[in-house]
Amino acid sequence: ALDRLIAKKRDLKQAAMQQLLTGQTRLPGFSGKWNADALGSVIAALDAGVSVNSSEGADGPSDEPAILKTSAVVNGRFLPEQCKRIASRDLARARLSPRADTILISRMNTPDLVGECGYVERDWASLFVPDRLWMTRARADAQLSVRWLAYVLSSPPLKARIAASAT
């Protein structure tokens, strides 16, 4: 009975999200027609990190500088604990830290990882972005919720389109 209830709630949630994303249903306080713009018109920058070596057996969160794994982004969520400490000889090369209100996007060209993304809520000074992830920042003048964009980019229909167009 509990499994049926969970499945029903999941179906209701999916239906509500579809109605909201297609504009069939609007949240209170929102009215009028949606503006359809190209994604590039709201993106200020797409920054990539660098490849660095990690320390042996040094996975997981720590106060020491760490490089994110590609598994740090999944279904619109950012998982900062998915990281490895950076080898001391490569510390100076790490340069790009995840910043608040950005989206990390995987550029791995595998069916499971291409276009996978995660919303970053706050700054992470001791974490660094690898070369396999991009940090996407929205334009300051864009009327856009970056968190909402992360959810849209991680929706199954859009993920399927990204995977289909990957080369």
Side-chain angles (χ1 to χ4, degrees):
L2 186 56
D3 287 340
R4 284 193 306 273
L5 180 61
I6 290 170
K8 180 179 178 182
K9 295 292 183 183
R10 187 180 308 120
D11 290 344
L12 287 172
K13 176 184 170 190
Q14 184 175 357
M17 290 299 292
Q18 295 255 336
Q19 289 175 355
L20 288 168
L21 290 173
T22 60
Q24 285 179 299
T25 301
R26 302 302 296 270
L27 293 173
F30 291 89
S31 61
K33 191 173 181 180
W34 285 45
N35 292 334
D37 291 324
L39 186 57
S41 71
V42 295
I43 300 299
L46 192 64
D47 302 314
V50 296
S51 178
V52 296
N53 293 301
S54 59
S55 301
E56 278 297 315
D59 287 4
S62 168
D63 290 335
E64 296 177 39
I67 192 80
L68 293 168
K69 298 177 182 179
T70 51
S71 57
V73 292
V74 62
N75 294 325
R77 295 186 347 245
F78 170 55
L79 308 173
E81 66 277 3
Q82 292 293 315
C83 62
K84 300 184 280 187
R85 279 179 241 146
I86 300 171
S88 57
R89 67 183 180 276
D90 280 355
L91 284 174
R93 295 186 56 239
R95 59 180 170 81
L96 182 64
S97 292
R99 297 199 326 225
D101 207 33
T102 61
I103 301 172
L104 294 179
I105 301 175
S106 169
R107 65 179 197 93
M108 294 291 293
N109 194 7
T110 64
D112 294 336
L113 295 176
V114 66
E116 196 63 64
C117 69
Y119 174 74
V120 181
E121 271 188 60
R122 66 177 183 88
D123 292 340
W124 292 87
S126 64
L127 290 178
F128 293 91
V129 178
D131 60 334
R132 293 178 174 162
L133 294 176
W134 285 319
M135 185 171 69
T136 307
R137 291 181 285 121
R139 293 171 44 117
D141 62 347
Q143 294 182 335
L144 170 74
S145 165
V146 177
R147 182 185 302 241
W148 173 83
L149 179 58
Y151 289 129
V152 171
L153 291 173
S154 65
S155 68
L158 195 52
K159 283 173 70 172
R161 287 180 62 189
I162 291 169
S165 64
T167 60

